[in-house]
């Protein structure tokens, strides 16, 4: 494999709404990389987006892009049902890869990608950008310190929730063409075989929306909890009980018809609480809110306000720094994302069993 330059040349596969708003826009603001190539099946969209971002090479299909020897790394933002096959092709072509989540529809496929990247010595990242939110970073530092010093006593319980609402926050600036979206396979076909067909679409939805909160729980614990219970009343309401080291984790997930995104983690200690409240993903430059309640210090309540920043932009910078060997610890690796899918499957197996 060739040595990357200090300014890696990036290829992008997919130029839809999320591809533009959450990825292309952010990489374009970095002076540490070059937006070199774009693959997009919609002709008019491909031409307009490439002109906007000054992308010199364009392709109708990812098969063409991955053969370009000058492409150092590829950002894959395709329909979820095609993420696995496209990432596989990119890794097979010896390209470093960042893909949106989930990386695959089931753990078996995800394992294939992880092993392929490992075999070829490639960087593979998956878009769990909330680990790079400045508020999350602050909360993780406070959490680790509380565990180490026992300043708040023992950790007793974690209460986590994610209620998906309308989170688009008037996100704008993307180019819209009137071309039809390319045909795509039904993502339910990628769900685990052990699920009944009528449950497969629900699992695919759960994995897409709620793997973020699973990823965050694991990030704070530096470990994977076991699953005690799962109740899936309907596609809009579900509860899971997890546990680790005698700590119970109550996880509420669902979907609401509100202009809101309700996602939070409350870490309950013997003598205080740490509360992390996450913003809607597309709300630019608003990091997570962090509150620390210390009942030993005159019931002190401290609210931490990190700098205005956006997790998606910090993620883009993080991936480029990984490519340039400026980071050695990949906290958004394919290995981590694989464990999230395995945990999601373990949760759903509780319902099946």
């Amino acid at each position: 494999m060739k040595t990357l330059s200090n300014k890696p040349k990036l290829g992008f596969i997919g130029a839809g709404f999320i591809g533009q708003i959450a990825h292309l826009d952010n990489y374009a603001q970095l002076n540490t990389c070059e937006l070199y190539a774009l693959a997009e099946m919609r002709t008019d969209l491909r031409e307009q987006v490439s002109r906007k971002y000054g992308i010199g090479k364009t392709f109708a299909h990812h098969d063409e892009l991955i053969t370009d020897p000058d492409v150092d790394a590829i950002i894959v933002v395709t329909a979820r049902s095609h993420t696995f096959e496209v990432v596989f092709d990119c890794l097979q072509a010896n390209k470093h890869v960042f893909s949106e989540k989930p990386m695959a529809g089931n753990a078996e496929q995800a394992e294939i990608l992880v092993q392929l990247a490992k075999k070829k010595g490639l960087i593979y990242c998956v878009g769990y950008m909330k680990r790079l939110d400045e508020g999350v970073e602050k909360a993780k530092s406070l959490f680790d310190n509380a565990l180490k010093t026992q300043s708040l006593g023992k950790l007793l319980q974690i209460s986590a929730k994610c209620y998906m609402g309308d989170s688009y926050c008037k996100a704008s600036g993307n180019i819209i063409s009137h071309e039809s979206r390319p045909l795509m396979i039904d993502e339910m076909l990628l769900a685990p075989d052990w699920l009944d067909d009528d449950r497969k679409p629900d699992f695919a939805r759960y994995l897409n929306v709620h793997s973020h909160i699973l990823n965050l729980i694991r990030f704070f614990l530096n470990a994977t909890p076991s699953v005690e219970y799962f109740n899936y009343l309907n596609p809009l309401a579900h509860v899971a009980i997890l546990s680790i080291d005698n700590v119970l984790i109550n996880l509420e997930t669902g979907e609401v018809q509100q202009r809101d995104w309700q996602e939070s983690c409350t870490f309950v200690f013997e003598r205080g609480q740490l509360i992390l409240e996450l913003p809607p993903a597309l709300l630019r430059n608003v990091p997570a809110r962090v509150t620390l309640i210390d009942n030993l210090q005159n019931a002190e309540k401290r609210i931490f306000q990190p700098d205005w920043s956006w997790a998606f932009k910090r993620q883009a910078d993080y991936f480029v720094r990984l490519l340039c060997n400026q980071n050695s610890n990949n906290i958004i690796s394919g290995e981590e994302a694989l464990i999230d899918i395995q945990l999601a499957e373990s949760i759903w197996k509780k319902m099946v069993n």
Side-chain angles (χ1 to χ4, degrees):
M1 179 170 307
K2 69 176 183 178
T3 302
L4 295 185
S5 66
N6 290 329
K7 195 170 184 178
K9 294 181 178 180
L10 304 181
F12 293 82
I13 299 176
F17 174 76
I18 292 297
Q20 293 180 55
I21 293 293
H23 299 286
L24 271 163
D25 268 355
N26 288 310
Y27 283 98
Q29 296 175 50
L30 302 176
N31 59 12
T32 53
C33 60
E34 178 183 346
L35 278 60
Y36 178 78
L38 170 67
E40 166 59 53
M41 297 178 72
R42 290 163 285 188
T43 304
D44 184 47
L45 184 62
R46 180 174 69 246
E47 292 176 353
Q48 288 192 62
V49 171
S50 63
R51 283 198 301 269
K52 176 179 178 178
Y53 292 105
I55 301 174
K57 287 196 171 186
T58 62
F59 304 93
H61 198 274
H62 78 275
D63 285 348
E64 301 169 291
L65 185 148
I66 64 178
T67 63
D68 190 315
D70 291 326
V71 172
D72 293 312
I74 299 175
I75 289 81
V76 177
V77 191
T78 62
R80 291 186 296 274
S81 55
H82 293 287
T83 300
F84 166 76
E85 63 182 275
V86 174
V87 171
F88 181 89
D89 290 346
C90 293
L91 294 172
Q92 194 76 340
N94 294 312
K95 305 296 186 183
H96 301 291
V97 177
F98 169 95
S99 79
E100 260 297 352
K101 58 80 193 152
M103 64 195 290
N106 59 69
E108 183 177 351
Q109 285 187 332
E111 177 73 31
I112 291 172
L113 297 181
V114 167
Q115 292 304 320
L116 181 57
K118 182 178 180 180
K119 176 183 176 181
K120 289 179 170 286
L122 295 165
I123 296 170
Y124 178 34
C125 294
V126 180
Y128 289 103
M129 77 291 175
K130 296 181 183 184
R131 288 191 173 198
L132 297 165
D133 181 292
E134 285 201 67
V136 171
E137 288 185 351
K138 179 62 178 179
K140 180 70 162 67
S141 175
L142 292 169
F143 179 79
D144 289 346
N145 183 68
L147 288 183
K148 180 179 179 181
T149 64
Q150 293 287 291
S151 58
L152 300 177
K154 293 181 180 179
L155 177 64
L156 301 179
Q157 191 167 346
I158 300 172
S159 178
K161 68 178 183 180
C162 179
Y163 297 119
M164 176 189 178
D166 179 3
S167 63
Y168 279 75
C169 305
K170 295 186 181 294
S172 61
N174 61 303
I175 294 170
I176 301 172
S177 76
H178 298 289
E179 299 158 291
S180 299
R181 294 186 66 185
L183 293 175
M184 58 193 76
I185 63 173
D186 190 335
E187 61 183 323
M188 71 162 281
L189 298 176
L190 305 179
D193 291 337
W194 44 263
L195 276 170
D196 293 338
D197 285 348
D198 61 341
R199 288 295 193 187
K200 288 182 178 180
D202 295 338
F203 175 83
R205 182 71 168 175
Y206 183 92
L207 183 62
N208 178 50
V209 176
H210 301 300
S211 57
H212 268 301
I213 194 72
L214 298 178
N215 182 272
L216 274 181
I217 290 169
R218 293 182 43 257
F219 181 52
F220 275 82
L221 295 174
N222 293 319
T224 301
S226 58
V227 183
E228 304 293 335
Y229 171 81
F230 181 54
N231 193 325
Y232 188 96
L233 290 176
N234 61 63
L236 303 181
H238 1 100
V239 175
I241 303 297
L242 315 176
S243 68
I244 188 167
D245 297 333
N246 296 318
V247 174
L248 280 178
I249 304 163
N250 181 63
L251 174 59
E252 300 176 17
T253 49
E255 298 185 30
V256 294
Q257 295 181 4
Q258 301 172 18
R259 291 191 185 94
D260 196 8
W261 183 279
Q262 303 171 39
E263 187 172 15
S264 64
C265 287
T266 299
F267 302 92
V268 180
F269 293 84
E270 290 178 300
R271 298 187 293 273
Q273 294 184 18
L274 176 65
I275 304 168
L276 173 67
E277 299 168 280
L278 292 118
L282 295 179
L283 185 58
R284 288 184 173 95
N285 297 326
V286 178
R289 179 185 175 97
V290 183
T291 303
L292 180 66
I293 301 173
D294 187 342
N295 288 319
L296 282 184
Q297 303 295 326
N298 299 317
E300 181 181 19
K301 180 178 180 179
R302 288 180 286 166
I303 298 175
F304 297 86
Q305 177 61 62
D307 290 337
W308 300 117
S309 58
W310 195 21
F312 272 118
K313 185 174 181 181
R314 300 185 87 232
Q315 178 179 252
D317 177 67
Y318 184 84
F319 181 56
V320 173
R321 287 190 284 120
L322 279 174
L323 295 174
C324 297
N325 297 314
Q326 296 178 21
N327 275 335
S328 57
N329 180 30
N330 184 358
I331 64 171
I332 55 170
S333 67
E335 289 90 343
E336 287 290 314
L338 165 61
I339 299 172
D340 297 325
I341 297 177
Q342 291 171 334
L343 178 55
E345 289 192 4
S346 296
I347 290 172
W348 279 66
K349 282 179 178 178
K350 274 294 179 182
M351 179 182 65
V352 173
N353 297 334

